[in-house]
Amino acid sequence: LIKISVIKYTTKFKMKFSFASTLSLISAANAFVVPISRQAGRVARIQVVSEPAAAVETAAPVESVEEPEVPAVEDSVPKPVAEKIDPRAKIQPGRFDDISYSLACPLLEKPSNLDGSHAGDFGFDPFGLSQEFDLYYMQECELRHARLAMLAVAGWPLSELLAPSWMLQDGRAPSVLNGVNPISFLGIVTALAAFSFLEYSTSLRKVTGKKLGDIHEQDMSLVWKYGVAGDYNFDPANLYFSLGDDAAGRKGLRQLEITQGRYAMLGITYFAAWEALTGHPIVENNPLFHPNALVPIAVVGYFAWSQIYQISDIRNAPTKIEYTKDGEDILRGIERTTNSAKKDIEPKMQAAIKLARDSVEKFKELQESA
């Protein structure tokens, strides 16, 4: 009775672990099974105990019976072979799946839906707008603003350099912050009306069934079925295939467009803010809009510096300036070239200095004799 009561008492606690124990035993069951090869020829021993003094009988060895080998039947159905897709023929999704940070700003986390499949995608979305709104819609909005900004960033300084003074506001381009006169106001309203009509008429356009639309659908078929944002089937100069008539080449040109558009959006914001704060036109006292040697010198200097030095990964503090892969070799090469040039030029310089001194002495002698 005591034994039965103990068993009933402990059963409640054992039931809690029975399911987990059963699974673990099933998974480890093979460890307790003797392989068939070891069972063959093994001696089975049977002990029969009838009395305390009874003898133990031992059974005879069990002979193993070898089963005839059955020849393996090869599957006559061929296995499907994975089709190899040329990475230049179609855009491959998941370009940045192996990293968790933004390439544009490594201190920020990369949203999961920005995997590098689209042009201009560097995983930069600090406000998470690509996850709150439709990604295609966001790309379309960015491209429209980028294209308008590229037109504005060229037209703004040109208007201040070429337009008559009566169209400007104290030499500045007419704008919301700078103010407008009646004529410029009419021009601005006309331009806004034209762009508004373009927005309305193309907002729900169909891109498939057209030349570029069908090409984009094939290029992006591994990513999604929507083709490419900003597609108006417009390429009068046939420049879209200048980097290659394949998916990679077309994506490269779209990459250039959105990159220049982003720079233009920053530039036009700078133009408007500068003129609103200072009251002076952007082309005034600006080296970018007047012929000078400062800009080309700065460009050449930056290019030379970037070949030798680079900024370390900003994710690892402290951030510092370090040599590039070939930076030290370039510096040593410059040093060797400079030393060699000094050795070659030094005797010639000394000879030229001696000649100049002799010429001066002779000139003095001629003056004294005269």
Side-chain angles (χ1 to χ4, degrees):
L1 293 174
I2 295 174
K3 186 176 181 178
I4 293 173
S5 63
V6 171
I7 291 174
K8 290 182 177 180
Y9 181 76
T10 56
T11 301
K12 297 180 179 179
F13 299 95
K14 290 182 179 179
M15 288 296 291
K16 297 181 179 179
F17 305 98
S18 61
F19 184 72
S21 301
T22 303
L23 291 179
S24 62
L25 288 174
I26 292 172
S27 62
N30 292 332
F32 300 97
V33 177
V34 180
I36 297 176
S37 60
R38 295 184 183 180
Q39 290 180 354
R42 175 164 294 186
V43 178
R45 301 180 185 275
I46 304 174
Q47 294 182 350
V48 180
V49 180
S50 57
E51 296 293 338
V56 178
E57 295 182 3
T58 304
V62 179
E63 295 182 359
S64 61
V65 180
E66 295 183 358
E67 297 180 358
E69 296 183 358
V70 180
V73 179
E74 296 183 357
D75 191 1
S76 59
V77 180
K79 297 181 179 180
V81 180
E83 182 184 357
K84 293 183 179 180
I85 300 176
D86 185 2
R88 294 191 63 87
K90 290 187 178 182
I91 302 300
Q92 306 294 319
R95 180 184 175 190
F96 301 142
D97 280 349
D98 56 340
I99 59 176
S100 60
Y101 56 87
S102 168
L103 292 180
C105 183
L107 297 177
L108 299 177
E109 185 177 357
K110 177 182 70 67
S112 58
N113 60 336
L114 299 183
D115 60 352
S117 302
H118 304 277
D121 178 8
F122 297 102
F124 182 76
D125 186 16
F127 298 108
L129 298 178
S130 62
Q131 294 179 319
E132 293 291 333
F133 301 97
D134 181 71
L135 183 58
Y136 186 93
Y137 171 76
M138 298 301 294
Q139 290 178 334
E140 186 82 15
C141 292
E142 183 184 25
L143 274 168
R144 292 193 179 203
H145 285 84
R147 289 165 178 171
L148 286 174
M150 285 188 283
L151 293 174
V153 82
W156 190 295
L158 285 176
S159 65
E160 295 180 348
L161 291 172
L162 303 177
S165 58
W166 53 267
M167 292 188 63
L168 303 177
Q169 298 295 116
D170 297 328
R172 297 173 296 166
S175 66
V176 175
L177 298 179
N178 292 342
V180 294
N181 56 42
I183 298 178
S184 59
F185 174 76
L186 182 61
I188 291 174
V189 169
T190 304
L192 289 177
F195 283 121
S196 298
F197 177 76
L198 178 64
E199 290 276 345
Y200 173 76
S201 59
T202 60
S203 59
L204 300 176
R205 69 189 184 280
K206 182 180 179 181
V207 297
T208 56
K210 300 179 180 178
K211 177 184 176 182
L212 295 182
D214 293 340
I215 291 175
H216 291 153
E217 188 177 10
Q218 292 296 324
D219 291 350
M220 303 295 291
S221 60
L222 298 179
V223 180
W224 62 12
K225 61 180 180 180
Y226 306 112
V228 170
D231 179 11
Y232 288 85
N233 197 42
F234 180 77
D235 184 26
N238 200 27
L239 297 176
Y240 191 39
F241 305 93
S242 57
L243 297 183
D245 190 7
D246 50 29
R250 289 185 284 270
K251 181 181 178 181
L253 203 65
R254 295 197 301 273
Q255 180 80 39
L256 290 176
E257 181 190 26
I258 190 59
T259 300
Q260 300 300 322
R262 288 167 177 171
Y263 286 139
M265 286 188 283
L266 293 175
I268 197 63
T269 303
Y270 161 69
F271 290 174
W274 173 268
E275 294 193 357
L277 294 174
T278 64
H280 294 278
I282 193 67
V283 297
E284 184 179 276
N285 300 323
N286 194 316
L288 295 175
F289 301 105
H290 297 281
N292 61 87
L294 178 61
V295 174
I297 290 175
V299 171
V300 173
Y302 174 76
F303 176 78
W305 183 89
S306 63
Q307 299 303 307
I308 302 173
Y309 301 102
Q310 65 182 2
I311 300 175
S312 64
D313 192 347
I314 62 175
R315 293 171 295 165
N316 302 325
T319 303
K320 56 185 178 180
I321 297 176
E322 58 189 12
Y323 287 114
T324 60
K325 182 179 179 181
D326 302 323
E328 291 186 273
D329 294 337
I330 293 174
L331 285 180
R332 283 194 289 267
I334 294 174
E335 186 177 1
R336 286 194 299 268
T337 303
T338 304
N339 293 336
S340 177
K342 285 182 179 179
K343 291 180 181 179
D344 295 340
I345 294 175
E346 187 173 359
K348 296 179 181 179
M349 290 294 295
Q350 291 179 353
I353 292 172
K354 183 179 179 182
L355 179 63
R357 288 177 179 175
D358 293 342
S359 300
V360 171
E361 291 178 357
K362 288 182 179 181
F363 182 73
K364 289 181 178 180
E365 289 178 359
L366 291 174
Q367 283 185 338
E368 291 176 357
S369 62

